[in-house]
Amino acid sequence: MASPFQKYYALRVKNVFNNLYEIELTSSNTALHDMRIELKKFKTILHFLKTVYPKHRIKKAVKLLASVFDEAGVLRETQLLQQWLQQHKMHELETMLGLQGSLIYAQHIFLQHIPKHKQALQKVIDICGPLVDETNALLPEQYMQKLKIELQEQLKKNVAIEDWHDFRKKIKRWMNAIRWVAIEGDEFEEAHFPYFNNLQEAIGNWHDLIIIQDYFTAIQSQKSIDKQLQQQLSAAQLTLLSGLQYREKQVKHLLQMPVLPAQLK
């Protein structure tokens, strides 16, 4: 009988290929977003397997998965920037940056590479499938519990802003790992899952703006930049800064909730 971890893995395999097939047919942004979520879940599985098996057995799978994820990330970040500019009605800046053309090009490249991505993911599955089957059923639960303890300990301290993104990754790993073990009546999960979900979403919203800020900074640093574009970017940076301050305040509020560390003891 398959363990909860094996069932979880089999669902990830099914979903990621279904998402790729949908992207190939429809070029759907929703399907792309769903695929990136599935790839993140796959990354959590690989992170766990690296704690169980020698590095050389996982290394190739990690590299192959990263190649697919990174290319999907380029497309996603272009979409993110375009959505932010449209949300703030900065249509002139969007046009000056040529984002629609960049987005169409990135989509074209990703669609062209889908056969390559399928091959890469199949190799990942060929590597990981046997390891998942070999894994003692107790180890996924131990991994999940270890992540829970680490999150508890970090929350008792001051999580520095430079560590927020990595802290979010750990939260996401723990949230994914909960689904591997199917524990009924887990008090920590029931009491604190909504909190951690809110926290990781808040950090994610903050980090999205950091990505946009980095993009603007890179464009402004170019020596050949047009004066009008520089003015448009400077105005956009002011709006972005206001949003960043708001998002940062949200994260700090959640991290500093006084009741949570006491409950986690």
Side-chain angles (χ1 to χ4, degrees):
M1 182 176 177
S3 69
F5 179 53
Q6 290 170 324
K7 291 177 182 178
Y8 179 91
Y9 173 78
L11 184 60
R12 303 284 70 77
V13 171
K14 175 184 174 182
N15 285 357
V16 77
F17 276 100
N18 283 346
N19 291 144
L20 270 175
Y21 182 66
E22 186 176 349
I23 293 168
E24 196 171 22
L25 286 178
T26 67
S27 302
S28 164
N29 290 339
T30 300
L32 176 69
H33 177 69
D34 291 345
M35 190 193 73
R36 291 188 78 254
I37 291 173
E38 288 298 329
L39 292 176
K40 285 182 179 180
K41 292 177 180 179
F42 245 110
K43 288 175 76 174
T44 298
I45 291 170
L46 287 173
H47 187 272
F48 162 65
L49 291 175
K50 284 195 294 184
T51 70
V52 178
Y53 297 100
K55 182 179 179 180
H56 71 271
R57 297 189 68 180
I58 310 294
K59 186 177 180 180
K60 186 174 181 180
V62 171
K63 185 177 180 180
L64 288 168
L65 188 65
S67 68
V68 182
F69 186 80
D70 289 348
E71 188 167 301
V74 171
L75 182 51
R76 187 255 177 184
E77 288 180 9
T78 306
Q79 291 171 339
L80 180 69
L81 177 58
Q82 185 182 54
Q83 288 167 3
W84 186 86
L85 290 171
Q86 290 177 352
Q87 178 188 351
H88 293 281
K89 304 187 187 307
M90 298 182 184
H91 304 298
E92 186 176 355
L93 179 55
E94 180 186 351
T95 301
M96 293 174 75
L97 291 171
L99 283 184
Q100 186 59 31
S102 297
L103 188 57
I104 291 171
Y105 178 75
Q107 288 173 332
H108 174 71
I109 293 298
F110 190 84
L111 288 171
Q112 276 196 326
H113 288 174
I114 281 181
K116 181 183 73 173
H117 295 329
K118 286 179 179 177
Q119 291 177 356
L121 290 171
Q122 185 57 57
K123 290 177 182 177
V124 171
I125 292 163
D126 291 342
I127 294 168
C128 293
L131 299 180
V132 170
D133 290 339
E134 290 174 28
T135 301
N136 186 298
L138 294 176
L139 295 179
E141 180 178 347
Q142 292 174 1
Y143 174 81
M144 186 272 287
Q145 294 289 353
K146 180 176 181 291
L147 288 175
K148 181 173 72 173
I149 292 169
E150 289 176 359
L151 289 171
Q152 291 173 354
E153 292 302 316
Q154 281 185 267
L155 274 177
K156 292 175 185 177
K157 303 173 184 178
N158 181 28
V159 184
I161 191 168
E162 59 267 22
D163 297 326
W164 285 2
H165 187 50
D166 286 339
F167 189 64
R168 181 183 187 238
K169 288 180 182 179
K170 186 173 291 186
I171 294 172
K172 295 289 282 186
R173 288 188 196 118
W174 172 72
M175 290 171 64
N176 289 333
I178 287 173
R179 273 78 177 183
W180 303 352
V181 296
I183 297 174
E184 296 294 334
D186 188 320
E187 184 178 346
F188 181 85
E189 177 193 341
E190 291 177 2
H192 301 297
F193 187 93
Y195 165 81
F196 278 108
N197 190 40
N198 289 338
L199 177 56
Q200 68 83 18
E201 283 186 358
I203 295 173
N205 290 334
W206 165 82
H207 190 255
D208 284 349
L209 297 187
I210 292 292
I211 291 171
I212 295 171
Q213 184 183 55
D214 290 344
Y215 176 85
F216 285 162
T217 301
I219 295 293
Q220 287 179 302
S221 68
Q222 297 176 9
K223 293 181 179 179
S224 59
I225 188 170
D226 178 81
K227 184 178 179 180
Q228 186 180 0
L229 177 56
Q230 183 71 266
Q231 291 173 343
Q232 291 279 341
L233 286 169
S234 296
Q237 285 275 35
L238 289 174
T239 301
L240 184 65
L241 180 60
S242 176
L244 267 170
Q245 290 172 340
Y246 174 73
R247 295 300 185 187
E248 186 176 322
K249 186 176 180 180
Q250 282 185 317
V251 176
K252 286 181 176 178
H253 172 73
L254 286 167
L255 287 171
Q256 293 169 2
M257 288 179 66
V259 68
L260 188 66
Q263 289 178 336
L264 289 174
K265 289 178 181 177

